[in-house]
Amino acid sequence: MGRYDGRIAVITGAARGIGFGIATRLAEEGASIAVVDLDESAAAEAAGRLPVVEGAKAVHVAADISGGEAVDAAIAQVVDELGGLHVLVNNAGITRDSLLHKMTEDDWDLVMGVHLKGAFLMARAAQRHFVAQKYGKILTLSSTSALGSRGQVNYSTAKMGVQGFTRTLGIELGRFGINVNAIAPGFITTEMTDDAARRLKLDVEEFRRIRAEGNPVRRVGTPEDVAAAAAFLCSDEASYITGQTLYVDGGGRL
Ligand code: NAP
């Protein structure tokens, strides 16, 4: 018996990185998975690689989660193809880093659009199903950058916004059997942090080594580290936990 037997989870940005890690872990524990991502072929390829157990399924949906019509259609497609919905993981994310004086309106709007509007639209579409069945789990990715991060005023603001979003939905949705939590990862080895290394003109391995040295547990994080926490927070073992943000950062949050 897996913790997620019979459960259906939709995970945004799950074609790679942390989202794929969470999708893999939930699939291993019995869930059917919908991989939602921008790029259709990447989403299909990721869904095809998930270790789904017998009787479960993995499907993919190509959608930009910052648009309401696309999100409503994506959730409808998932419910239609998988037969329901129990877990929403708001993981899709982007960065558009620069210091304030160089930051454009587009840099601001794009980051807010994916992290905050995207999470709002996905949660609004999913809660219709969750409230009707009096069961649901919503998990959103925040970040240690929420606590302040030079060159990331857009991203930091969005990631702290995720924490307010989470607390508020925890209060609103608890009576309907819906748990709402967030995970704030520190440095995790994905394309997102590899891109940051390249922007800083650092070798990817060297960047990871520097970040590991400065971390209390002397290593950087992996998608599996985040997935382990996600699998707990979205499970019934965590049903008395809501509105919380769990830092998964090796203790190195500032
Ligand atoms: P990643 O490797 O860059 O993956 C993000 C995925 O999201 C990509 O597949 C991307 O698709 C997709 N995506 C972006 N915009 C989208 C949209 N509008 N609609 C649908 N999908 C979209 O990132 P990651 O490092 O795994 O990060 C996952 C989450 O964790 C993000 O919310 C990030 O902010 C957060 N986080 C990451 C770290 C870290 O150290 N990596 C730390 C703290 C928090 P494309 O490739 O097609 O753009």
Side-chain angles (χ1 to χ4, degrees):
M1 270 280 287
R3 277 191 294 191
Y4 285 90
D5 283 351
R7 298 287 185 229
I8 297 164
V10 60
I11 303 168
T12 67
R16 65 171 197 233
I18 293 171
F20 184 72
I22 296 172
T24 300
R25 178 68 188 254
L26 298 194
E28 282 168 355
E29 294 203 35
S32 286
I33 306 287
V35 170
V36 174
D37 214 299
L38 277 176
D39 179 339
E40 167 129 46
S41 61
E45 193 265 336
R49 283 192 290 130
L50 288 174
V52 282
V53 302
E54 207 181 317
K57 283 206 262 183
V59 300
H60 72 278
V61 182
D64 178 347
I65 53 120
S66 58
E69 277 179 28
V71 164
D72 288 347
I75 292 290
Q77 185 180 334
V78 171
V79 170
D80 184 46
E81 289 184 19
L82 294 178
L85 189 61
H86 306 103
V87 178
L88 162 64
V89 181
N90 288 312
N91 164 84
I94 58 168
T95 52
R96 290 291 182 275
D97 297 354
S98 66
L99 292 173
L100 177 63
H101 69 285
K102 287 194 222 151
M103 190 169 284
T104 66
E105 279 187 57
D106 266 1
D107 294 336
W108 181 269
D109 289 344
L110 280 169
V111 168
M112 296 301 156
V114 177
H115 294 276
L116 286 180
K117 190 175 172 199
F120 153 67
L121 292 170
M122 289 294 298
R124 191 180 61 173
Q127 62 83 35
R128 294 182 192 120
H129 301 277
F130 293 167
V131 168
Q133 70 199 9
K134 296 236 175 332
Y135 183 93
K137 310 283 180 191
I138 299 174
L139 181 73
T140 305
L141 271 290
S142 177
S143 167
T144 50
S145 297
L147 302 171
S149 176
R150 181 180 156 82
Q152 290 197 304
V153 70
N154 49 0
Y155 185 77
S156 168
T157 302
K159 291 307 200 185
M160 191 49 103
V162 162
Q163 299 192 18
F165 171 85
T166 297
R167 289 202 72 85
T168 299
L169 290 190
I171 292 165
E172 288 187 15
L173 299 176
R175 74 193 63 182
F176 302 108
I178 302 168
N179 295 78
V180 188
N181 290 296
I183 290 177
F187 187 104
I188 307 295
T189 52
T190 67
E191 274 296 312
M192 187 177 273
T193 43
D194 289 355
D195 275 350
R198 289 187 277 269
R199 275 198 308 278
L200 295 166
K201 302 199 182 347
L202 285 171
D203 174 66
V204 164
E205 289 305 324
E206 175 67 357
F207 189 44
R208 291 179 183 179
R209 192 187 58 72
I210 294 166
R211 296 299 296 255
E213 266 176 12
N215 188 280
V217 303
R218 297 289 186 271
R219 70 171 177 92
V220 291
T222 63
E224 291 76 21
D225 290 318
V226 180
F232 168 63
L233 286 173
C234 294
S235 78
D236 292 336
E237 290 176 285
S239 61
Y240 200 53
I241 301 174
T242 200
Q244 302 303 305
T245 298
L246 177 64
Y247 282 79
V248 178
D249 63 356
R253 64 201 59 161
L254 287 175

